[in-house]
Amino acid sequence: MNIIEIKDLTKQYENDGIITPVLFGLNFNIKAGEFVAIMGPSGSGKSTLMHILGFLDKLSTGQYLFENQDVSLLDDDQLAEMRSHKVGFIFQAFNLLPRTSVLENVMLPLIYRRMPNEERIKLATQAIESVGLGHRINNYSNQLSGGEKQRVAIARALVNDPSVIFADEPTGNLDSKSGLQVMKILQDLNIKHGHTIILVTHEKYTAEHAERVLRIKDGIIVADEKVGNRLLAAEMKELK
């Protein structure tokens, strides 16, 4: 089943009467449970595409179906609802609150959910433990290493049990070992738990941890291909 269907999608920005086109007539589908990398150089349009797919921005023309729902017909409030319930985000810069505990950071997406605080704590604790940071639950985020911060960000993305997890350059600020640990978590979420993962990267090595790569250049998809020799982080010697 397709979780995402994109048909003739374009995106342009207008500023003081000047129109800047960014994306040009994109067409692709993503199935539920796929791990897809969107790969391209800086300025290619890959982050703009991710923002549209994650309900952070709107397309200009074309159609975007998410779980068979036409996203282009939704208003701002409905898009916000989709963001809070259907997707989780992992960013290169982590985007954690510095003088706030790991538990409180992970609980943030649950603030607007109508549930008892005990339930929020339970869900956040489960997410934190799933990324191996149960021992850090009461630490402030500014007391963590870069790899640990990104694992907190992954837990925060998971806490709402989203349909899709978006990872925007998730290893960009990490050393190679921490980056590999993050890729292992993402692969486990995909392979063992069936989460749909959309990874945005400019690095070929990182993209090869996915099972499929969409290559974008100058706002156009120039290739859509399966990864021939997929890298499995759990098998890499750096984690042994």
Side-chain angles (χ1 to χ4, degrees), residues 79-204:
L79 287 173
E81 185 77 6
M82 295 284 277
R83 276 197 305 274
S84 65
H85 289 83
K86 293 295 185 179
V87 298
F89 294 97
I90 305 162
F91 296 102
Q92 179 178 349
F94 318 131
N95 292 359
L96 302 179
L97 298 178
R99 289 194 162 275
T100 307
S101 72
V102 167
L103 177 63
E104 290 167 323
N105 267 286
V106 175
M107 286 174 62
L108 280 175
L110 301 174
I111 286 176
Y112 301 107
R113 299 286 292 270
R114 294 180 179 176
M115 63 175 65
N117 193 55
E118 294 79 10
E119 181 69 13
R120 293 191 186 100
I121 292 173
K122 178 183 176 182
L123 291 174
T125 300
Q126 289 173 344
I128 292 164
E129 290 175 346
S130 75
V131 298
L133 285 179
H135 63 294
R136 292 290 213 177
I137 194 166
N138 293 315
N139 284 97
Y140 289 145
S141 62
N142 58 357
Q143 296 174 318
L144 308 180
S145 68
E148 288 172 332
K149 288 178 181 177
Q150 196 58 292
R151 285 152 66 187
V152 173
I154 293 172
R156 184 183 58 195
L158 282 173
V159 75
N160 267 331
D161 191 26
S163 299
V164 179
I165 297 171
F166 291 94
D168 189 3
E169 303 280 7
T171 63
N173 283 340
L174 305 178
D175 61 66
S176 58
K177 183 175 181 178
S178 297
L180 197 58
Q181 289 173 334
V182 166
M183 294 311 302
K184 180 183 182 301
I185 292 171
L186 291 177
Q187 285 188 328
D188 285 348
L189 289 172
N190 173 246
I191 296 170
K192 296 180 180 179
H193 303 287
H195 284 279
T196 305
I197 310 285
I198 298 178
L199 168 73
V200 174
T201 184
H202 67 279
E203 298 175 338
K204 182 175 183 289

Side-chain angles (χ1 to χ4, degrees), residues 207-228:
E208 288 176 345
H209 286 82
E211 58 185 330
R212 174 184 166 203
V213 178
L214 289 173
R215 298 181 187 272
I216 188 168
K217 182 179 180 181
D218 298 329
I220 298 170
I221 293 175
V222 296
D224 181 353
E225 55 200 11
K226 291 284 186 181
V227 176

Side-chain angles (χ1 to χ4, degrees), residues 42-85:
S42 178
S44 62
K46 62 184 185 298
S47 291
T48 299
L49 177 58
M50 189 204 76
H51 290 161
I52 293 171
L53 298 180
F55 317 116
L56 295 168
D57 200 354
K58 295 181 180 180
L59 54 79
S60 296
T61 64
Q63 190 175 46
Y64 172 17
L65 300 179
F66 185 92
E67 295 180 338
N68 294 319
Q69 185 171 12
D70 191 340
V71 176
S72 61
L73 301 179
L74 302 181
D75 60 28
D76 289 343
D77 288 340
Q78 291 170 318
L79 287 173
E81 185 77 6
M82 295 284 277
R83 276 197 305 274
S84 65
H85 289 83

